[in-house]
Structures are given as structure tokens and as C-alpha cells.
């Protein structure tokens, strides 16, 4: 599945979920809207897991794209890096609309602590791999050493390790989202997070 295909399907889910949420806000006892919303959430969770297993590169793309404009979350223009990520105020507004309980807030803080610790280890490893890659490229550019070498350049092994590092980050995101959506949030909260966090994933 391509990035654009996933975005199209995700937008379709958000459109239908928004209709159901509006119906439930007007009438919390709307059984049909609640049933339809539950079906939509279950289907979207299935599609997300399926994409993670079969096309992990697509999720990497989604996590770096502003879905409304299609721009990356970090663009380079005229030698300057421009961040295009949502502000903390944006996510605070999303959290207010979702309405977390005190127990959920405590769980989120614990989850973030574990995530932050794991990410620091991944990033430390990635910085070292980047240094190793730079050193390997210097060796590869040395013509005499390149001719004498009869095996793969060291940077080839470094790139494999870097790829595994990136995959572990994706796995970490998946585990975090899976626990958040599957264990902590209700179906209604899941829908609110998805709808109100648009155009970010």
C-alpha cells in the first residue's frame, strides 16, 4: 500500500467517523451512530495493523507527512530547515477534546516515560551509526584502499544496522499506539483522537 492510498483511506474513515461523532454529540443515545462508529474503528485498527505488517515503509511516510498539504514534517528550503510539526498547544487542544480520566492521564505519563527512555537509546545508537557511516565513506572515497579491499565496504554493514534501528523505532511507535488505542482509550476516545489530530497521524 502506498502512502497516498493509506491517506485516502484514512481520510474516508475520518469523514465517516466525524458524522458519527456529530450525531452522538447531538444525541448520546443514538444507537445506530454508536454501532457504526464501533465498526469503523475496528476496521481502521485492522487496516493499520495490516499496513504495519505488509508495508512498514508506508507508515514511516505517514508519520512524516502533513496529510492536508502532503508536505513533510521537516522541509529544507534555501539551506534552512523548516519544521512543519504540530505545536504542543495543538496536542493540548486534542487532549481536552478527548477528555482523559485521571487514571488515563497517569497511564499516559507512564507510557511516555517508557517511550522517551527507549527513544533516547535508539537515537544514541543512531548518532554512533552516523559517525561510523561518515568514517566508512571516507575510506570508500580513498581510491587505493578501495582497490585493495576485496569485501563489502564497512558502511554497507552500517547501513544495515541503521535500517534495523529505524525499524525498531517504527515498532516502538506501533507498540505505543497499540497500547494507547487498544488498552487505554474507549472507541469514542479513539475516534476523537483520530478526528481532532488531523492532518497529523
Amino acid at each position: 500500500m502506498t502512502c497516498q492510498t493509506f491517506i485516502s483511506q484514512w481520510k474516508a474513515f475520518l469523514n465517516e467517523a466525524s458524522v458519527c461523532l456529530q450525531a452522538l454529540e447531538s444525541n448520546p443515545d443514538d444507537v445506530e451512530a454508536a454501532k457504526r462508529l464501533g465498526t469503523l474503528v475496528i476496521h481502521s485498527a485492522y487496516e493499520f495493523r495490516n499496513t504495519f505488517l505488509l508495508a512498514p515503509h508506508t507508515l514511516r511516510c505517514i508519520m512524516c507527512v502533513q496529510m492536508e498539504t502532503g508536505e513533510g514534517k521537516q522541509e529544507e528550503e534555501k539551506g534552512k530547515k523548516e519544521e512543519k510539526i504540530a505545536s504542543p498547544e495543538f496536542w493540548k487542544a486534542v487532549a481536552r477534546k478527548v477528555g482523559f480520566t485521571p487514571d488515563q492521564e497517569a497511564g499516559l505519563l507512564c507510557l511516555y516515560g517508557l517511550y522517551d527512555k527507549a527513544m533516547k537509546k535508539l537515537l544514541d545508537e543512531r548518532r554512533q551509526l552516523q559517525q561510523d557511516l561518515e568514517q566508512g565513506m571516507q575510506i570508500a572515497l580513498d581510491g587505493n584502499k578501495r582497490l585493495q579491499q576485496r569485501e563489502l565496504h564497512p558502511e554497507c554493514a552500517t547501513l544495515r544496522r541503521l535500517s534495523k534501528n529505524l525499524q525498531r523505532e517504527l515498532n516502538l511507535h506501533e507498540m505505543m499506539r497499540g497500547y494507547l488505542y487498544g488498552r487505554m482509550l474507549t472507541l469514542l476516545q479513539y475516534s476523537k483522537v483520530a478526528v481532532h489530530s488531523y492532518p497529523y497521524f
Side-chain angles (χ1 to χ4, degrees):
M1 179 184 293
T2 65
C3 183
Q4 190 55 51
T5 299
F6 185 93
I7 290 176
S8 297
Q9 293 183 358
W10 186 249
K11 285 182 177 180
F13 159 70
L14 294 180
N15 288 335
E16 291 197 63
S18 296
V19 172
C20 294
L21 287 173
Q22 290 176 353
L24 289 170
E25 287 177 0
S26 300
N27 178 17
D29 297 323
D30 190 332
V31 177
E32 288 300 319
K35 183 178 179 180
R36 177 58 181 161
L37 186 62
T39 300
L40 289 170
V41 168
I42 292 172
H43 179 72
S44 73
Y46 168 81
E47 289 295 332
F48 181 81
R49 287 194 298 269
N50 191 50
T51 303
F52 173 77
L53 293 172
L54 301 180
H57 56 281
T58 295
L59 288 186
R60 292 194 193 105
C61 170
I62 295 298
M63 292 176 183
C64 298
V65 168
Q66 206 267 28
M67 287 185 280
E68 186 65 27
T69 63
E71 296 178 324
K73 289 183 180 178
Q74 186 181 79
E75 300 286 343
E76 291 192 16
E77 184 176 357
K78 296 181 180 179
K80 296 182 179 180
K81 290 184 177 180
E82 181 181 358
E83 295 289 345
K84 296 181 179 297
I85 59 177
S87 66
E89 288 71 25
F90 174 87
W91 294 113
K92 288 179 182 178
V94 173
R96 286 194 296 269
K97 292 174 181 177
V98 173
F100 296 113
T101 66
D103 286 344
Q104 286 177 321
E105 290 179 355
L108 284 170
L109 289 173
C110 180
L111 182 63
Y112 176 76
L114 295 172
Y115 168 80
D116 187 55
K117 184 177 180 179
M119 274 302 301
K120 284 180 179 178
K121 289 183 179 179
L122 284 173
L123 293 176
D124 286 343
E125 179 187 17
R126 194 172 303 166
R127 292 187 190 97
Q128 183 59 53
L129 290 172
Q130 288 173 336
Q131 292 178 7
D132 294 345
L133 187 59
E134 290 175 1
Q135 293 175 359
M137 289 301 295
Q138 290 299 321
I139 295 174
L141 293 174
D142 187 322
N144 294 328
K145 291 182 180 179
R146 184 172 64 248
L147 290 173
Q148 295 171 4
Q149 195 164 329
R150 295 292 185 270
E151 57 186 17
L152 289 175
H153 289 293
E155 67 269 18
C156 295
T158 302
L159 286 172
R160 292 195 188 99
R161 291 165 58 198
L162 182 59
S163 177
K164 290 180 179 178
N165 179 282
L166 293 170
Q167 182 61 44
R168 288 201 302 274
E169 180 180 352
L170 182 62
N171 292 344
L172 182 60
H173 278 278
E174 168 64 6
M175 289 188 291
M176 182 181 69
R177 288 173 183 272
Y179 186 80
L180 174 64
Y181 294 153
R183 297 291 183 179
M184 295 185 66
L185 302 184
T186 64
L187 293 179
L188 183 61
Q189 288 176 319
Y190 173 95
S191 303
K192 288 182 177 180
V193 168
V195 170
H196 294 301
S197 64
Y198 182 84
Y200 304 100
F201 184 74

